Structure formats: structure tokens, C-alpha cells
Amino acid sequence: MPCARRRSGHARAPEHGSAAPGAPRHPAGAVGRRGYTDPLTSVAEQPRHDQPLHRALGLTDWEFDRIRELLGRAPNDFELAVFSLLWSEHCGYKHSAPLLSRLPSGGERVLQGPGENAGVIDVGGGLAVAFKVESHNHPTAVEPFQGAATGVGGILRDVVAMGARPIALLDGLWFGSPDWHFRRAVAGIGHYGNCVGVPTVGGETVFDEAYGSNPLVNAMCIGLLPVERVLRARATGTGNLLVLYGAFTGRDGIGGASVLASQDLEGSDEKRPSVQIGDPFRGKALIEVSLELVERELVLGLQDCGAAGLASSLAEMARGGAGVDVHLDRVPLREPDLEPWEIMISESQERMVAVVGPERLADVEAVCARWELPCTVIGEVTDHGELRALHRGEVVGAIPAELLTDECPRYDVEQAPRAETPPGTPAPATREPKTWIFEQYDQLVGSRTVKRPGLGAAVLRLDGERGIAVSLDGPPPGERDPYRAGWTAVMEAALNVACAGGEPLALTDCLNFGNPERAEIGWELAAAIDGIAEAAEELGIPVVSGNVSLYNETGGRPIPPTPAVGCVGLVRDVTRVPGRWREGDRIVLLRGEGAGLVGFVWRNAHRFTLALDARRCDTRRSLEQAAAWSGTATPACELPEGSGVVVALTPDDSAPLGWADVVELGTV
């Protein structure tokens, strides 16, 4: 999981290289109280080939000098570990943040755009939808079951942190083949989602040998909440308490953001300890506790302990002028010999931090006790502007919070267009039915699922006759052009939503690429973002959340440009959603692509008995999929040139369709 601020997706970048020289940002007295000089034992014990500690932690020499300049002193080892996580690519978005400002993010429906745990849009009727997609690629490459499972757990907690109840999951899977590794990842997704009681209703699966060493797992979550209840991860009110509740803290996941998610995966077996371990039953209790705390207004803010653990969560909460004191010796431990820095950056799963008024503490403790969740006051909100960590009364680290977040370096990536690459050749399994995959997932728990996975977008009931259509899609299998990859991923997701009767309202994206420090990868990233931005602008909808996953390569061999895009659309009447064609229906092909086709399909979806985007595969294959979905024989049809959307209409619907390029295919 990325860190808190970036987890909502795309934080707006300050001036490039925002690290302007300046005086120390905190009183000298605070530094003077630091007596902690212990080394990072487990890091110091590793062979570093005589490299200095900051390099072993993933920081460059320039970044280390910049840290000393900002602090006005040398950091101790504890502080250096915290900087290494918050300034990692996974948390800090050092190479992508300047490019992400290209994406449109505002709109009349947007209640929360980039900058929090998830995006939130107003869908009317007093309801809002929170949603987000993020990656768990590197952990899955190292340990597929737990890597994929904890990806699901993390995205659930991101949505819960906004005050929303999760109602659906989707997953995008890009693997080399349907081998043991893939099957374990699917099992991990199913295990966590099924145990926690949230349906998995859609996604995409592609097999291509280009992902053989670097599989991708992108998880998307949808949640519902009242429009007036959007939470933000902020520490407010000096004297309010920081309450940690959920699982105990151990060593699992330590360094996940910097060791796994911000480096090449060569030698991945050595990085297995950096993979988190999930507990979905504890995750279920965490969801119910969090929602009760929010509904009863017992908390002022929530934050998931994701990548970089308490370091990230508390740094994000302390932004905006507030400060926090955290007493690390109060954190409930699964292993009693954890050092202070390990407690601070542990990525143990199923933990949340809440800001609680002292007068509400007893009520919070009672809710946690009813669900048998540990609940501990670990600190308090202050006004000194620092993330200050104490252990047994000693200040072990004191860093102005803005240095960890707002002052993270921003790099202009070098860009060099690579030679035109021919399309890749996806494995034959990509075109085979995926029923055996999604049948492992509970699709109906929660009783909101109107249209199940299997053909295009899923549909979920909101209230009365209203619903939402949701889809998660990537570029066409084998696509190697980064601009087309971004543009088509957006249009595919939006068109799938339209084919399910939904008006596309907003997008979330996950950008999966190789090493951005290589000029050709920097060019791919910039081109894909341009493609996403232009498609979103054509559709007139914003990108309200997202995630960037870089360094997806092994031994210098990167993955193809793989932007994954999720779309949420409003369905005004779930009883008139295109479903299955019936005998006697006439079948037509609406040829074309782009925003015009998307708008036409959703406005006319009430007329269709079935609608299917046929642009990704040939028309014959699309007809076979529609027939299998509808439980009929594949109709014998003339197959024209071109692609578009296959739709079916009842025999008595003879009114003109109103689309410029319509081809009659035949009759069911």
C-alpha cells in the first residue's frame, strides 16, 4: 500500500525540487532533548559493501544532504529510517507527482479529490461513493497469496478511513501465465474478500510473458457513505488523543515501501520478510469498529497504518501545522524485542489510528472491547508541528511533519521516446473464459449485486431503483504504445460502465511502469498520463484518486506500460439494465470509439437487452461471449469490418437508433 496522502492517489506537486534552502523549521530546544543515538541494528548487521546507511536505506547522497539542510543538523538513525520511507518512490511519488498535475480532478460531483485515502463523489439522494484502486505488485511477486490478500485488505481500509462502508471489490491481474503463482494470488484475493464479507464483482485478467517476473495485482474498492460524513486524515485539536486499535505490531512488512515497492525485484527471495501478513477476520472486526466509531461521531479522524506504518500515518495526520507526540513503548507488540524504529515503520496489517477527544475515550474503548480489538492511547495531538517519537520517556526522533510530506523531493523525469515497439502477443489463456477465476469469489454477499461479473461492468444497487455500474480495465492485451494504453484503458472502463446502463461519473487509476530513472520509462509514464488525461477530458469526467507503482522490472527488464483505470457510473434504474439477449432479438454493431460512443450507449441502454464492448476482441469472439452469457447458441451472423459495441434489441423495437454507423448482424 502506498502511504496515506499518496494513497488517495495523486498529491499535487510543489515546485519541482521543492527543497529550497532555509532555516531549521523547529525550535532548537526540541532537538536538544534528543538523546537517542542507537543504530538501526538489523540494518547495520546486513552486509552493505561499505556503503553508508542512507544508501542502504534507499536515499541518494543529494537527498541525505538535503535532509541535513532542512533539519539544520544531521539526522539520527531513527529519523533517517523515517525519511527513507516517506521519501521513497512508493510514498513520496518523487518522479510522478509533477506529471500527475496533468490529470483533471475537479467537478461538481467531487466531494474529495486527490489528497486523501480515497476519492469521493456525490451520487445524489444524500449518498456519496468513495473509491480507489491501488497496487500490491511487488509483495505479490515475492509471496503471491499474502501479497494479493493484503492488497485487498489495504484498499478496504483506505475506503473505511473515509467513513465509508465497503460494498464491492474489483481486481486487475496481469501475469505471465495461469501458473501456481497466479492461482495462489487468486486464492489470496478470494480468501480475504470472502472472509471479510465484501463481494468481488469485476476486474480484468491478462496473461503475457512480459509479466512473468513482475506480475501486477491492482485492487479497487467501492464504498458508500452519507455526503455529510466525508472524513479526512488530520490531527486536529491540541490535547486530543491518538488511539491505535486493531492487530498487534510485529516485524512483518518492515521496509515494504522502500525495500519492495521502490526497487528492482532482482533477488526477491531475500525480500520475503518485507511482505505483510493479513488476517481477514481481524480485518472484518476493524471495519465494523471503524464504522461504528464514525457513525456515533466518536472520532475526529481516521488513518490506516499502511506503507511505512505509524511513520506515514502520523506524518500525514500532522500536516497543516499540527504536531503529534507518539509514545512507541505504549504500542501493543506481537514481538517484545522490537526496537523503536521497527515499531515506527512496521507494516503489520489490520491497524488504524484515530484522533479521539479525551471525553470520548471510554466509549471508543467499549466499542473496541465488544469486537475484541486491542485499543491503546499511543500519543496526543500537539501544536509544535513535529512528528515527535518517544520511547520510555526519551525523544528518539523529532522531525517537522512538513519535511516528510511537503518537502519530499520532486524530480523532473528525463524523457526519451523509445523506438516503436510492435504489439505483444498475449498468451492464449487470455482469451479463454475466466469463470474458474471469479467463481472463487463471493459475488453476492451484502445483497447489492444486480449484475454479476462475467460480461462487462458489474451493477450494484444504491437505493430504490438507483445503482452504480463499476468497471476496472487496462490497455488492450499486447498494447505497447503508452499513449494508446492510457487512452484506451479510460475509454474501455467508461464504455463498459455505459454498456451496463451507467453514466460515467469519475475515474481512479493505477499506473504500473518500470524504473522512472530511465529516460524511456519516463517517456512512457508521461505519455500514458497524457492519454488518460485526454480521454478523461473528452468524457468530461475527473480522476479523483489513484496510485502509481514504479520499478516493476527485474534485472533491468521492465513490464509494458500498464495503466489500470476504474470507472464508476450512475445507473438511474437498475431494473432496465442490459442483461441477456433472448430468442428473436436482433443484433447490431455500433461501429466507432471514443466519448461519443460512450455517451450514446449509456443514454440508450434502456433499449438494449444486451450491450457488449467488442473493440478488444473480434466481433465473432464477442458474439460467442454474449451467447455464453445469455445461455443461447452463437447466432450465425455476417461479420463486418471494424469494431464497436454489439447490442441486442427486442423484435418490436424498430425505431431508428440514431448512431451514424450501424451494421445489422442478424437475429438470435
Side-chain angles (χ1 to χ4, degrees), residues 231-246:
L231 283 186
R232 291 171 175 83
R234 292 289 183 271
T236 57
T238 301
N240 285 331
L241 306 176
L242 301 176
V243 176
L244 175 68
Y245 63 95

Side-chain angles (χ1 to χ4, degrees), residues 559-627:
I559 62 167
T562 313
V565 176
C567 184
V568 173
L570 180 63
V571 179
R572 288 169 174 79
D573 187 348
V574 296
T575 67
R576 304 184 71 184
V577 169
R580 292 171 166 83
W581 64 32
R582 293 176 290 274
E583 185 176 349
D585 286 356
R586 63 188 182 100
I587 308 169
V588 303
L589 176 67
L590 309 175
R591 289 196 293 203
E593 66 174 9
L597 181 61
V598 171
F600 177 83
V601 170
W602 79 256
R603 288 185 179 91
N604 291 274
H606 62 280
R607 295 179 58 184
F608 307 145
T609 58
L610 180 145
L612 173 63
D613 179 7
R615 296 172 308 124
R616 179 161 292 200
C617 55
D618 59 58
T619 305
R620 179 179 297 280
R621 176 62 181 145
S622 298
L623 293 173
E624 292 171 352
Q625 291 176 346

Side-chain angles (χ1 to χ4, degrees), residues 624-658:
E624 292 171 352
Q625 291 176 346
W629 171 260
S630 301
T632 70
T634 303
C637 297
E638 293 291 332
L639 300 178
E641 294 183 357
S643 63
V645 175
V646 170
V647 301
L649 301 99
T650 60
D652 58 354
D653 187 346
S654 58
L657 277 172

